[in-house]
Amino acid sequence: MKTSDFDYELPDELIAHYPIDARSSSRLLVRLNEIEHRTFRDITNYFDEGDLLINNNTSVIPARIYGKKESGGSVELMLERELDNNKALVQIRSGNPPINGTKMFFDQYEAKCIGRKDNFFIVEFAQSPSDIFNDIGHVPLPPYIKRNDEEIDKERYATVYENKDFQNSVAAPTAGLHFDNELLQKINNIGVETISINLSVGAGTFQPVKTENIKDHKIHKEFVEVSDEIVNKVKKAKKKGNKIFAVGTTTLRALETAFMEEKGYKDFTDLFIYPGFEFKAVDMLITNFHLPKSSLLMLVSAFIGFENTKKIYDVAVREKYRFLSYGDAMLLKKNEA
């Protein structure tokens, strides 16, 4: 298939630049057999006792810092991931891309550009990059949110179940932003077990697919941790006929990575899911609306079918759903083969 097959017209006014007042009051487009229009808190109607709700409990590091190059020009660093020996893989925005040896200054901290890797730069700090970013960093809002980060983002660009021990993502697992503690309790009261896995979301998640043939696209790598215990719980639930709900594409990608070998997984994954992929773990996907020509839109098309995806997005645009990270959600049932 071609990347152009996954294009659609996204009006600027449908991109959500701020979160809705109450997390669970966002809209929910449901596609089981037919399309339904609901409110997110209505998602409780689609669970049964014994189902599993699996989320990504990663926490977002304040991954954007602003400073000056030694020439005096402004520079912005967006952390992708920390490397060994006080080095980091970053995106850099400046008037002119830095060359090797360029020094940059961020408040009292200094960094030096020492190399390139694919679309990223490698920079070296005098101390731990995570300490620096936690000290002076800003909430790394996605590039399509056209404003500076604000105080509200510290709370709302994070899930209520985030684990600060896993502060290793530079983008939020945004499907989880719709859950509040009251809603999670109602779901648990049905007899649904909530389970957390971890996938470190990288800035590469926002990179568009640029190859003409989608199979030629090289997807970004992200670190995944799914235990043997969770894999066995999923197997047991599926054997009983219960449903596996994945909160977001990151959770789905982590689970399907583990189930390619049907055991726990703790390593980087570059699993690229597009139409033709055979799903082994996830039955139901909770997700937001994604960018045109994105790998995430291709994943959704693999899950529910290409024509179904086109129809849903046509409906969502017509019905003026809010799109992308701070936008509304979908509940999707896997297409039966």
Side-chain angles (χ1 to χ4, degrees), residues 5 48 65 90 137 140 172 187 197 220 230 237 245 268 278 308 313:
D5 294 332
D48 296 298
I65 58 176
V90 302
I187 293 170
I197 58 88
H220 56 289
I230 290 172
F245 287 73
F268 285 93
E278 182 179 346
N308 288 328
Y313 274 73

Side-chain angles (χ1 to χ4, degrees), residues 58-73:
T58 189
S59 179
V60 178
I61 189 171
R64 181 175 280 118
I65 58 176
Y66 301 94
K68 297 283 186 182
K69 292 186 290 187
E70 56 185 331
S71 63

Side-chain angles (χ1 to χ4, degrees), residues 156-170:
R156 295 300 301 275
Y157 196 62
T159 62
V160 296
Y161 47 75
E162 67 174 346
N163 185 338
K164 288 292 188 180
D165 290 338
F166 293 117
Q167 192 179 35
N168 47 17
S169 286
V170 301

Side-chain angles (χ1 to χ4, degrees), residues 17 56 74 88 150 161 165 172 194 240 295-296 298 304 315:
H17 293 281
N56 181 6
S74 297
E150 301 175 20
Y161 47 75
D165 290 338
T194 300
K240 289 182 176 180
S295 62
L296 304 181
M298 295 170 187
I304 64 170
V315 170

Side-chain angles (χ1 to χ4, degrees), residues 252 256-257 260 271-281 302-303:
L252 181 147
E256 295 297 338
T257 295
M260 291 184 79
L271 177 62
F272 182 17
I273 298 176
Y274 52 82
F277 182 83
E278 182 179 346
F279 294 88
K280 296 181 179 180
F303 194 72

Side-chain angles (χ1 to χ4, degrees), residues 71-101:
S71 63
S74 297
V75 63
E76 173 189 325
L77 259 62
M78 175 73 171
L79 179 68
E80 172 68 10
R81 67 175 180 269
E82 190 169 355
L83 305 174
D84 293 333
N85 301 317
N86 295 336
K87 297 180 179 67
L89 196 65
V90 302
Q91 294 179 353
I92 294 180
R93 293 178 63 182
S94 65
N96 294 303
I99 60 174
N100 284 0

Side-chain angles (χ1 to χ4, degrees), residues 96-281:
N96 294 303
I99 60 174
N100 284 0
T102 298
K103 292 182 180 180
M104 296 165 284
F105 303 93
F106 305 91
D107 291 354
Q108 70 270 36
Y109 303 110
E110 180 179 325
K112 182 169 68 173
C113 181
I114 61 171
R116 295 287 301 264
K117 183 176 182 182
D118 300 326
N119 295 320
F120 299 97
F121 292 85
I122 301 173
V123 297
E124 184 177 43
F125 295 90
Q127 62 191 85
S128 165
S130 60
D131 289 346
I132 295 170
F133 280 87
N134 274 309
D135 183 24
I136 63 171
H138 292 255
V139 176
L141 293 179
Y144 44 72
I145 293 182
K146 304 298 184 184
R147 63 175 176 83
N148 294 328
D149 61 302
E150 301 175 20
E151 193 65 27
I152 189 175
D153 300 306
K154 293 179 181 179
E155 175 194 358
R156 295 300 301 275
Y157 196 62
T159 62
V160 296
Y161 47 75
E162 67 174 346
N163 185 338
K164 288 292 188 180
D165 290 338
F166 293 117
Q167 192 179 35
N168 47 17
S169 286
V170 301
T174 54
L177 302 183
H178 305 282
F179 289 93
D180 54 35
N181 289 317
E182 181 181 358
L183 178 58
L184 288 170
Q185 185 60 56
K186 287 180 179 178
I187 293 170
N188 289 339
N189 290 344
I190 295 170
V192 174
E193 183 178 0
T194 300
I195 298 171
S196 292
I197 58 88
N198 184 262
L199 181 144
S200 302
V201 189
T205 191
F206 302 119
Q207 292 180 349
V209 177
K210 295 181 179 179
T211 59
E212 182 178 2
N213 188 323
I214 63 174
K215 293 182 180 179
D216 294 332
H217 176 63
K218 183 180 179 182
I219 201 165
H220 56 289
K221 290 184 178 181
E222 294 171 317
F223 191 80
V224 169
E225 186 170 354
V226 181
S227 69
D228 284 321
E229 179 186 5
I230 290 172
V231 171
N232 290 333
K233 281 188 175 185
V234 171
K235 288 180 180 179
K236 186 176 179 180
K238 291 180 75 69
K239 189 174 183 179
K240 289 182 176 180
N242 296 117
K243 302 184 296 300
I244 309 303
F245 287 73
V247 182
T249 57
T250 60
T251 301
L252 181 147
R253 194 160 168 249
L255 288 171
E256 295 297 338
T257 295
F259 266 76
M260 291 184 79
E261 299 184 15
E262 297 193 354
K263 62 181 182 180
Y265 189 92
K266 188 176 181 180
D267 202 347
F268 285 93
T269 181
D270 59 359
L271 177 62
F272 182 17
I273 298 176
Y274 52 82
F277 182 83
E278 182 179 346
F279 294 88
K280 296 181 179 180

